[in-house]
Amino acid sequence: MASASSKEGDSYGETHDIQKNGFDLGLFVGDLAFEDDACSDDVSLEGLQQELEECKNDDVVANILAKGTKLREYAKGVEKDVRQVELDSIQDYIKESDNLVSLHDQIHDCDGILSQMETLLSGFQAEIGSISSEIKSLQEKSMGMGLKLKNRKVAESKLARFVEDIIVPPRMVDIIVDGEVNDEYMRTLELLSKKLKFIEVDSMVKSSKALKDVQPELEKLRQKAVSKVFDFTVQKLYALRKPKTNIQILQQSVLLKYKYVVLFLKEHGKEIYGEVRGAYIDTMNKVLSAHFRAYIQALEKLQLDIATANDLIGVETRSTSLFSRGREPLKNRSAVFALGERINILKEIEQPALIPHIAEASSLKYPYEVLFRSLHKLLMDTATSEYLFCDDFFGEESIFYEIFAGPFAVIDEHFNSILPNFYDAIGLMLMIRIIHQHQLIMSRRRIPCLDSYLDKVNIALWPRFKMVFDMHLNSLRNANVKTLWEDDVHPHYVMRRYAEFTASLIQLNVEYGDGQLELNLDRLRMAVDELLIKLAKTFTKPKLQTVFLINNYDMTIAVLKEVGTEAGKAQMYFEDLLKTNTAIFVEELLLEHFNDLIKFVKTRASEDPSSSLEKHITVADVEPLVKDFASRWKAAIELMHKDVITSFSNFLCGMEILRAALTQLLLYYTRLTDCIKRIVGGNALNKDLVSISSIMYEIRKYSRTF
């Protein structure tokens, strides 16, 4: 270090001396001279031209070549310039020598300071290493102490919980033994239940010495609590038997408030729980059975009888036998076959059940389906409430079925007494639809408790409906035509019954699409059609037979149209029959007034001009026909009009038939006139021919009447 300093001092002194005495650059550099390049045979000029081409764009080279300066002289000048630059650079260095010496001293001082810092930091590093080992040791001790503390807390927590769960506080004893059953008693029961479960579940507790002291006391408390809550619960259950008690309010506001009592008995007094369960089932079974029995008895007083076994489509209204007398039709006799306003019951499906004493005070009577809906509405609401209560209070759905065994039996007894004597097919179908709607309601409520019962009722209704329907069908098949026949071409009451009955069932099948019902209606339609034809044949004149059929078909179509498009199949069937018989009547009506003309046109006046049938027709053959038609055609049309008016009960139908007859007459007469034009000498009859426009005018005149 000293030697380095001395050397630096020497060099500094030398530098100082040089600066002081002046500096001659020539002494060091000496004379620089460029020796002339000797010509050498080794110099090759190959590629010179290419290099000159490449350098011709260089400014310096271009300038040299332009001035014509020799390269050697130019090189000497460059060398001289370089030497001068070097000398100038050395002079600049000498001028900055003081600054460089100062910088050297500063660097030397920094080295000393950094050396001291290194020594200090090395000491710090040693101390930090020592502290780190101490911290690590403390950390290990802390972790050990933390683990011990955690274990002690766990042990303390378990011990505290054990003491809390097994100890019997005096306050709890006082409440269980002497307290009233209220909210505080419920909370105490929960605490007692927790302690009883604790000593039963934990195997370690069973082996503890503390249990031997506490267990007898807990057992006494359990027995006392079971006895006390049993008496309390039974007392509340007996309140359900009091007359005019609102069961739902008592269940919701009182019993559910103390539902933990039942849970306590279920867990810690199973025998007593069984008694409470049985007492509730017995109580509710009797109470609900009595309620439904009283309600059914009240409803029966409101029943309006609609149909009996003799109220069938094909049974004669005035029929009497030796042992039965005729009876006046009931006020609502039309309801036997016509649905009418009875369908409104399906729109009122969720209305509240009837209150019998109010209806009785108003002297109101109802068809059975109204009472049926009301009874089952009450059943649904009661069953829903009871099902939810049993599930909430006892936690058992099965209790519901044991309770409702009684009410179901009461309703079945009533239903089984009604159904065998029930002959109202419309009412039966309404009840089937009501049951279907009730099933949907219970499904929306998500209450399955009435599923099997409603299915059973539905299964009972369908066979009865089929039996009553078959009675109507057989009444048509076995009908006595002689007793049913009336000397009247207007619609027969049997056909009106059929039309109303069919329309009613079609209307009740709109949203259900029951294929079996449609098949039964097809059978009924064939049976009534056969009977109608038999009745028609009873008339002696074919024309009356046709009029009778047209009137009945027209009436049936009018009734079926009221149902809408759903009656399409049956309606089309009768429309085809109406069309066929209308054509027959038109021919019969025309033959009655224009017999000779029609026979001539059909037999001799061909529509084909080239036909051989017209070759032998003379003016003498057609002249009587023309003159006869001209003399009385208006009078004949007027007679036809009167005939139609008196024959057909539906004025519009009659006018349509009259128009069809006049149109057909126009066609026949047109064929006659065309035939006359082709006869030799037929022009002579032109004066007697009625113009087509005159006939058209008459047709339009009668058309305007409707």
Side-chain angles (χ1 to χ4, degrees):
M1 192 79 171
S3 61
S5 299
S6 61
K7 288 179 181 178
E8 290 175 1
D10 293 341
S11 64
Y12 171 73
E14 291 174 1
T15 304
H16 184 69
D17 293 339
I18 290 170
Q19 186 178 9
K20 199 171 184 183
N21 298 326
F23 179 73
D24 187 6
L25 188 61
L27 294 174
F28 291 92
V29 177
D31 293 327
L32 295 175
F34 291 92
E35 295 181 358
D36 294 336
D37 292 336
C39 294
S40 175
D41 295 334
D42 297 334
V43 176
S44 175
L45 298 178
E46 185 180 354
L48 177 61
Q49 185 63 34
Q50 182 179 356
E51 291 179 2
L52 288 174
E53 288 294 328
E54 291 175 354
C55 296
K56 70 180 182 178
N57 294 326
D58 186 274
D59 294 338
V60 177
V61 175
N63 189 29
I64 294 170
L65 292 176
K67 291 179 179 180
T69 308
K70 293 182 179 180
L71 291 175
R72 186 178 302 278
E73 292 175 0
Y74 187 79
K76 285 181 180 181
V78 171
E79 182 67 27
K80 184 179 179 181
D81 291 340
V82 170
R83 183 176 181 185
Q84 184 61 44
V85 170
E86 181 180 1
L87 292 173
D88 291 342
S89 176
I90 292 171
Q91 287 296 327
D92 290 340
Y93 178 79
I94 292 170
K95 289 177 183 179
E96 294 294 330
S97 59
D98 290 340
N99 293 335
L100 292 173
V101 171
S102 174
L103 179 62
H104 176 270
D105 293 340
Q106 290 176 9
I107 291 172
H108 183 266
D109 293 341
C110 285
D111 283 342
I113 293 169
L114 290 174
S115 178
Q116 294 175 7
M117 288 289 290
E118 182 180 7
T119 304
L120 181 62
L121 291 174
S122 296
F124 283 161
Q125 185 177 8
E127 291 178 5
I128 289 170
S130 175
I131 292 170
S132 175
S133 61
E134 290 179 5
I135 290 172
K136 187 175 181 180
S137 176
L138 290 172
Q139 186 178 12
E140 290 175 355
K141 291 180 181 179
S142 175
M143 289 177 64
M145 292 175 66
L147 183 60
K148 291 178 181 178
L149 178 62
K150 183 178 180 182
N151 292 336
R152 287 178 181 179
K153 284 184 176 180
V154 171
E156 181 185 4
S157 174
K158 288 186 176 182
L159 184 60
R161 193 160 56 244
F162 173 80
V163 172
E164 182 183 353
D165 289 340
I166 203 168
I167 195 172
V168 180
R171 175 65 178 165
M172 186 178 78
V173 175
D174 293 340
I175 293 173
I176 294 294
V177 175
D178 301 321
E180 295 183 0
V181 179
N182 50 26
D183 292 342
E184 185 182 15
Y185 198 90
M186 295 295 102
R187 291 192 294 271
T188 308
L189 273 184
E190 290 182 29
L191 182 60
L192 177 60
S193 175
K194 183 179 178 182
K195 294 181 182 297
L196 291 171
K197 289 178 182 177
F198 177 71
I199 65 174
E200 291 173 0
V201 174
D202 199 327
S203 57
M204 293 181 64
V205 175
K206 293 181 179 180
S207 60
S208 66
K209 294 182 179 180
L211 180 61
K212 295 179 181 179
D213 296 333
V214 175
Q215 190 171 17
E217 301 302 323
L218 286 175
E219 178 60 23
K220 291 177 183 178
L221 284 177
R222 184 194 70 81
Q223 292 177 358
K224 180 63 179 177
V226 166
S227 173
K228 194 164 190 174
V229 296
F230 171 73
D231 294 338
F232 173 81
T233 307
V234 170
Q235 180 185 1
K236 295 298 180 185
L237 294 182
Y238 280 138
L240 295 169
R241 298 188 178 187
K242 294 180 180 179
K244 298 181 180 181
T245 299
N246 190 316
I247 296 173
Q248 281 75 24
I249 291 178
L250 185 61
Q251 288 175 334
Q252 297 298 322
S253 62
V254 178
L255 293 180
L256 282 180
K257 183 180 178 182
Y258 299 103
K259 68 178 182 179
Y260 184 75
V261 167
V262 174
L263 179 61
F264 181 84
L265 291 175
K266 199 173 185 179
E267 293 176 343
H268 305 293
K270 293 183 178 179
E271 293 182 1
I272 302 300
Y273 169 76
E275 294 182 23
V276 171
R277 183 179 184 276
Y280 181 78
I281 291 171
D282 181 63
T283 298
M284 291 305 297
N285 187 307
K286 290 178 179 178
V287 169
L288 293 178
S289 297
H291 283 185
F292 276 100
R293 185 174 288 106
Y295 188 72
I296 288 170
Q297 290 172 354
L299 287 180
E300 288 174 345
K301 297 177 182 179
L302 305 176
Q303 184 173 347
L304 175 65
D305 291 327
I306 298 293
T308 66
N310 294 322
D311 292 313
L312 303 172
I313 296 175
V315 173
E316 203 273 317
T317 53
R318 301 185 304 273
S319 65
T320 56
S321 66
L322 247 63
F323 304 102
S324 64
R325 59 182 180 82
R327 54 185 174 86
E328 291 296 322
L330 290 174
K331 183 179 180 181
N332 293 303
R333 179 61 56 196
S334 61
V336 176
F337 307 104
L339 183 59
E341 294 183 358
R342 295 174 72 182
I343 196 172
N344 291 337
I345 192 66
L346 297 179
K347 301 174 185 176
E348 302 166 358
I349 202 72
E350 292 203 60
Q351 291 296 314
L354 287 175
I355 301 175
H357 68 271
I358 295 178
E360 190 174 0
S362 304
S363 300
L364 297 174
K365 297 285 185 180
Y366 300 96
Y368 183 72
E369 68 268 10
V370 176
L371 310 183
F372 180 84
R373 183 210 70 87
S374 189
L375 174 61
H376 284 82
K377 170 64 175 170
L378 180 65
L379 175 64
M380 284 195 305
D381 292 345
T382 306
T384 299
S385 174
E386 190 61 32
Y387 179 84
L388 293 174
F389 174 78
C390 289
D391 186 39
D392 194 5
F393 191 68
F394 290 99
E396 295 184 44
E397 297 177 1
S398 59
I399 290 181
F400 170 85
Y401 299 99
E402 296 180 54
I403 292 170
F404 265 75
F408 284 155
V410 171
I411 297 172
D412 286 344
E413 180 185 354
H414 160 73
F415 197 54
N416 292 334
S417 67
I418 291 290
L419 202 59
N421 300 310
F422 199 82
Y423 296 95
D424 181 8
I426 303 297
L428 286 167
M429 184 52 65
L430 282 169
M431 286 191 280
I432 289 170
R433 299 313 182 208
I434 288 169
I435 285 293
H436 178 76
Q437 292 296 322
H438 284 171
Q439 288 174 323
L440 294 179
I441 290 171
M442 294 302 287
S443 177
R444 287 195 296 269
R445 292 180 182 180
R446 297 186 178 182
I447 304 294
C449 58
L450 291 182
D451 288 355
S452 58
Y453 170 78
L454 294 175
D455 287 339
K456 183 179 72 173
V457 174
N458 194 42
I459 290 170
L461 287 170
W462 271 109
R464 183 63 191 178
F465 171 79
K466 182 65 168 58
M467 193 198 82
V468 175
F469 186 93
D470 287 344
M471 289 174 67
H472 285 287
L473 180 63
N474 292 329
S475 72
L476 293 173
R477 290 174 174 173
N478 304 325
N480 189 332
V481 177
K482 292 182 179 180
T483 58
L484 288 176
W485 183 77
E486 295 177 348
D487 191 11
D488 186 359
V489 294
H490 289 85
H492 198 279
Y493 60 84
V494 168
M495 200 63 184
R496 178 169 292 280
R497 289 176 182 175
Y498 161 78
E500 292 175 346
F501 185 73
T502 300
S504 299
L505 293 181
I506 289 173
Q507 194 172 354
L508 289 175
N509 199 36
V510 168
E511 297 180 4
Y512 302 91
D514 193 312
Q516 189 62 41
L517 181 58
E518 292 176 359
L519 290 175
N520 285 327
L521 288 174
D522 289 343
R523 293 164 59 209
L524 192 69
R525 186 189 66 223
M526 290 186 286
V528 79
D529 196 22
E530 291 176 6
L531 176 62
L532 192 65
I533 291 171
K534 290 177 183 178
L535 289 170
K537 289 180 179 178
T538 312
F539 292 95
T540 54
K541 295 180 180 180
K543 179 184 172 184
L544 294 178
Q545 295 177 8
T546 307
V547 170
F548 176 75
L549 291 174
I550 290 174
N551 279 327
N552 281 280
Y553 292 148
D554 179 67
M555 178 274 300
T556 303
I557 292 168
V559 173
L560 292 176
K561 279 183 178 179
E562 295 177 3
V563 179
T565 57
E566 299 298 329
K569 183 178 178 182
Q571 184 178 326
M572 287 176 60
Y573 176 81
F574 287 107
E575 284 176 349
D576 290 341
L577 291 175
L578 177 63
K579 186 177 180 180
T580 302
N581 283 275
T582 298
I584 294 171
F585 176 79
V586 165
E587 287 296 318
E588 291 174 346
L589 185 64
L590 292 175
L591 285 172
E592 184 178 336
H593 296 280
F594 303 99
N595 185 36
D596 294 338
L597 184 149
I598 293 171
K599 283 184 178 180
F600 176 83
V601 170
K602 285 185 175 181
T603 56
R604 304 189 66 183
S606 173
E607 296 180 7
D608 183 6
S610 61
S611 175
S612 59
L613 291 174
E614 297 183 0
K615 291 181 179 180
H616 304 291
I617 299 176
T618 63
V619 174
D621 292 332
V622 296
E623 185 176 6
L625 297 175
V626 173
K627 289 183 177 181
D628 177 66
F629 184 84
S631 65
R632 63 182 188 85
W633 70 278
K634 286 187 178 181
I637 290 176
E638 181 61 30
L639 289 173
M640 289 167 59
H641 176 255
K642 289 180 180 179
D643 194 0
V644 167
I645 291 296
T646 56
S647 297
F648 298 105
S649 52
N650 184 348
F651 177 76
L652 293 178
C653 177
M655 289 297 98
E656 286 288 347
I657 292 171
L658 178 61
R659 185 167 63 176
L662 295 177
T663 303
Q664 187 62 37
L665 175 63
L666 179 62
L667 292 174
Y668 283 139
Y669 192 71
T670 302
R671 286 175 61 184
L672 177 64
T673 56
D674 291 344
C675 178
I676 291 172
K677 291 176 183 178
R678 294 190 290 271
I679 298 173
V680 178
N683 294 336
L685 297 176
N686 286 345
K687 65 180 185 301
D688 295 321
L689 286 174
V690 179
S691 66
I692 299 301
S693 60
S694 298
I695 299 174
M696 288 292 294
Y697 175 78
E698 287 296 318
I699 292 175
R700 285 195 294 270
K701 184 175 72 173
Y702 284 105
S703 298
R704 285 196 297 270
T705 59
F706 64 101

